[in-house]
Amino acid sequence: MVVVGDIDAALGASIALCSRDVLLGDSSDNNKQTKRRRKRPIPPPQMISYFRPPCAEEQQQQRKLSSETISSLQNALAFIGPPVDNFEDIHTTTRQFLVRVSDDAYENPILHIDLDLKDGGASTIESLSSHINSYSFLGLNINTNIVESDGVKRLSREDAIDNGNDLQTLLDGCNSASVTMDITTHLAMLQANSLPKCRGVLGETDVWTVQDIVQDGFLVDSGGAMLLEYRYDYDDPFGGCDPLLRPSKGYIVQPESAMKLNTEKLEHGNEALAAAYSAMRGYDLDPISSICIAYGVKSVFSEMGTIDDSGQYCPPPYTWNTVNKVVDYARSARQDVLVEDGASRRMYREFGYK
């Protein structure tokens, strides 16, 4: 797997993959081997190559990493690459690394990227589009130019149309993908009729990952996560592809009790959630199980992540304690997933998007 983004995405994907192995091992005949691996003091490293996009270099330099975070990155990741200018460099460097360490060196890896569309993202999209066939699965975490006015967050119609068209172009070139975004962006694309139609790229149905929800008419992020599923009929020219007319479902995972959560911790948790979901879907886990594990990752980033004396966020360590907490969260979430028919229509109506 290749991760391009912040360190939270890289650690989130690693913790999710290790948690998945524990969950699958506990439910299989290989239970003894799983327990033997868990006796090691540190979880095994995951086959992840991590790169920082060049636009994040200055930001990363400002974010001073603790010795524990550096140790976690070294323990969790197979390869930490330099900042890169384009996806050709990522592909070449990753391939050279895999040839040295993996028997599957010539299989196309999974790619997860934090895609910043605030300034259009044209150069990134162009570079990614030209190398998209080098990856077996594309996971996207979308960041858009949301503006807050009078306490209400909005994405302009113009940006929603442009972002939706750019996203459609990327997904048209994929065989398999996942997309994570905030509910404001999702509702804006619905309103602008620019939410991409994916024809099997996001799964058997169009399933989108959302980091926050509209509850009782208000935009909230209580530490949960959600899937929005649309069931289109591509053969019906009369409304068969209208997301507000066709059957849809929401699969909502929320904490058992309301908690006051630090906004900065939630932001880092959402980065980790997106990468965790990409990793799970890329390795063929079903969407609901994937979002439950990703929710567990977001929860530990919010709960166990700390803010140091300089105001810097420090992610949870890559330890068995962290992995075990994710496993517990994921198991509990899997039993309590709230399924809501027409969830996107309800949130669209309550939020009053204009």
Side-chain angles (χ1 to χ4, degrees):
M1 180 176 182
V2 180
V3 174
V4 182
D6 203 348
I7 60 169
D8 302 308
L11 281 176
S14 298
I15 293 169
L17 286 170
C18 191
S19 302
R20 180 207 61 160
D21 291 344
V22 171
L23 287 163
L24 294 179
D26 286 350
S27 62
S28 71
D29 296 333
N30 220 11
N31 190 261
K32 289 184 179 179
Q33 181 180 354
T34 302
K35 289 182 177 179
R36 187 162 56 249
R37 291 176 69 192
R38 292 173 74 177
K39 287 183 179 179
R40 299 172 184 171
I42 299 172
Q46 304 302 314
M47 191 54 68
I48 293 178
S49 297
Y50 168 59
F51 298 88
R52 287 176 296 166
C55 61
E57 179 67 6
E58 181 179 347
Q59 178 182 354
Q60 290 281 30
Q61 288 177 349
Q62 294 174 355
R63 182 180 177 183
K64 299 186 181 303
L65 304 182
S66 68
S67 58
E68 185 178 50
T69 299
I70 294 172
S71 177
S72 289
L73 290 169
Q74 293 170 337
N75 290 329
L77 306 174
F79 178 76
I80 302 176
V84 291
D85 292 323
N86 55 65
F87 285 91
E88 182 176 357
D89 291 343
I90 292 176
H91 176 67
T92 301
T93 305
T94 300
R95 190 68 69 195
Q96 291 171 347
F97 168 72
L98 291 175
V99 165
R100 295 199 304 269
V101 303
S102 175
D103 295 332
D104 300 326
Y106 296 100
E107 292 186 6
N108 290 339
I110 298 163
L111 172 65
H112 171 83
I113 177 172
D114 292 337
L115 185 60
D116 192 342
L117 297 178
K118 292 179 181 179
D119 297 318
S123 59
T124 301
I125 290 170
E126 182 179 356
S127 177
L128 178 56
S129 296
S130 62
H131 292 87
I132 206 164
N133 291 328
S134 300
Y135 301 97
S136 62
F137 183 92
L138 177 64
L140 296 172
N141 181 31
I142 304 300
N143 297 304
T144 57
N145 189 31
I146 292 174
V147 177
E148 186 168 349
S149 176
D150 297 327
V152 179
K153 294 181 178 180
R154 301 285 189 196
L155 178 67
S156 72
R157 181 180 179 85
E158 292 77 13
D159 284 343
I161 292 173
D162 290 343
N163 295 163
N165 290 338
D166 289 339
L167 190 54
Q168 183 74 69
T169 299
L170 272 180
L171 294 176
D172 284 345
C174 294
N175 292 320
S176 187
S178 69
V179 182
T180 303
M181 64 179 73
D182 56 82
I183 190 64
T184 302
T185 299
H186 195 90
L187 294 178
M189 288 185 179
L190 282 180
Q191 192 270 344
N193 196 27
S194 63
L195 188 70
K197 309 301 186 293
C198 299
R199 296 180 180 270
V201 172
L202 298 180
E204 293 182 4
T205 56
D206 282 26
V207 179
W208 303 84
T209 318
V210 179
Q211 301 160 343
D212 46 10
I213 66 173
V214 172
Q215 187 172 4
D216 297 327
F218 295 96
L219 180 65
V220 298
D221 188 343
S222 58
M226 175 174 59
L227 298 177
L228 289 177
E229 176 191 38
Y230 299 93
R231 296 180 175 270
Y232 297 125
D233 182 355
Y234 290 105
D235 296 325
D236 179 5
F238 304 105
C241 294
D242 189 327
L244 294 175
L245 291 179
R246 294 293 302 168
S248 63
K249 287 182 181 291
Y251 301 89
I252 303 170
V253 181
Q254 289 281 74
E256 293 181 0
S257 57
M259 297 181 292
K260 185 172 177 141
L261 299 171
N262 181 283
T263 301
E264 183 171 354
K265 287 186 177 183
L266 280 174
E267 290 176 356
H268 291 277
N270 283 330
E271 297 283 341
L273 172 131
Y277 185 79
S278 295
M280 297 300 93
R281 294 293 290 133
Y283 283 100
D284 295 326
L285 207 61
D286 67 273
I288 296 179
S289 297
S290 296
I291 197 62
C292 289
I293 293 177
Y295 157 76
V297 170
K298 177 178 178 176
S299 296
V300 299
F301 269 71
S302 299
E303 176 188 331
M304 298 176 64
T306 58
I307 307 293
D308 65 19
D309 294 338
S310 64
Q312 297 289 328
Y313 173 82
C314 302
Y318 186 66
T319 63
W320 281 118
N321 182 46
T322 302
V323 170
N324 291 337
K325 280 184 175 291
V326 172
V327 169
D328 291 341
Y329 275 123
R331 283 183 174 141
S332 176
R334 193 67 178 85
Q335 297 174 354
D336 298 321
V337 175
L338 173 64
V339 181
E340 179 183 351
D341 289 329
S344 59
R345 288 194 296 273
R346 190 263 302 171
M347 294 182 191
Y348 182 89
R349 183 178 64 252
E350 287 186 4
F351 196 50
Y353 210 96
K354 298 180 182 178

